[in-house]
Amino acid sequence: MAFVKDVEVAARVSRIGGLPLAPEGFDWPRCAVCDGPLRFLLQLITDDLGDHAEALRPGALLSFFMCDNDPGQCEAWNPEAGGNRAYLFAEDATVPLPSPGEAFVLPQCFEIGICEVEPETADEVAEFKVVGWLGGEAEWWETDMTPTCSTCGTPMGFVAQMREGYSRNWLMNFGGGEAFVFACPPCDAASVVLQG
């Protein structure tokens, strides 16, 4: 996946930043540790991902939020601690969620798209700002931390591996590491693990 262009804050595209799209009545998520609002970082839309979206339902939208209220204190790396939240919404997730404040969205919003670049050569490709890759297998920095679905108890499917970004205006602050995105489509569940 690579940076493509600036985009409207509520665009229904795969993007970093902007406002999250959610189903009607969805409340902005809060950190289970500090109780502050989580920061919205990105959304991935199945229709934008082509053949790389085998783990997701057609029309699904995956959104990721992370606590940045007191960096490093709310165990945002651990999907079970409540310092980050991932949601897998059906195609009816079309309502832009109002932000509880400027600090809970990134300063800029960028569409991300698919480009055919191998992960090991991504740093050498100057014309792209590669922000991660889709499908295949996770390239863990440390031990394999594939999450188990809390509903059905099976290992979740790998969706994407995301870098934290290149610009302070859309730096997702993974502590210098990367985010590993997983989903369990039958249970409409998603999870993100940080390593670095």
Side-chain angles (χ1 to χ4, degrees):
M1 289 178 289
F3 157 81
V4 177
K5 60 184 177 185
D6 289 4
V7 70
E8 292 295 320
V9 296
R12 189 173 171 79
V13 296
S14 294
R15 57 182 162 81
I16 295 169
L19 295 174
L21 297 180
E24 190 78 46
F26 182 81
D27 291 325
W28 195 280
R30 303 186 74 83
C31 177
V33 180
C34 72
D35 197 41
L38 297 177
R39 186 179 221 189
F40 172 67
L41 298 180
L42 68 97
Q43 73 180 20
L44 299 174
I45 296 183
T46 306
D47 299 345
D48 293 344
L49 307 182
D51 294 340
H52 302 282
E54 59 272 358
L56 300 175
R57 290 184 187 180
L61 185 153
L62 192 149
S63 292
F64 177 53
F65 298 77
M66 188 176 84
C67 187
D68 201 30
N69 297 311
D70 190 4
Q73 300 306 306
C74 293
E75 295 187 43
W77 58 270
N78 181 353
E80 296 175 5
N84 87 48
R85 299 272 172 85
Y87 298 92
L88 186 58
F89 298 128
E91 59 188 330
D92 63 348
T94 58
V95 180
L97 205 57
S99 170
E102 284 185 20
F104 307 108
V105 293
L106 297 171
Q108 286 187 283
C109 179
F110 293 101
E111 181 179 356
I112 49 179
I114 307 302
C115 59
E116 296 299 324
V117 177
E118 293 297 321
E120 54 274 4
T121 62
D123 291 327
E124 303 166 13
V125 183
E127 65 266 31
F128 294 117
K129 290 258 188 239
V130 176
V131 295
W133 52 92
L134 297 165
E137 295 183 13
E139 295 187 10
W140 296 103
W141 288 40
E142 301 160 19
T143 59
D144 184 331
M145 293 178 61
T146 299
T148 299
C149 177
S150 60
T151 303
C152 69
T154 61
M156 290 184 150
F158 177 68
V159 176
Q161 188 163 336
M162 302 294 299
R163 295 177 171 175
E164 61 183 9
Y166 293 89
S167 163
R168 67 185 182 90
N169 287 331
W170 53 278
L171 188 70
M172 292 185 277
N173 190 16
F174 299 148
E178 295 179 339
F180 299 79
V181 183
F182 293 84
C184 181
C187 298
D188 290 324
S191 185
V192 175
V193 177
L194 304 184
Q195 275 192 2

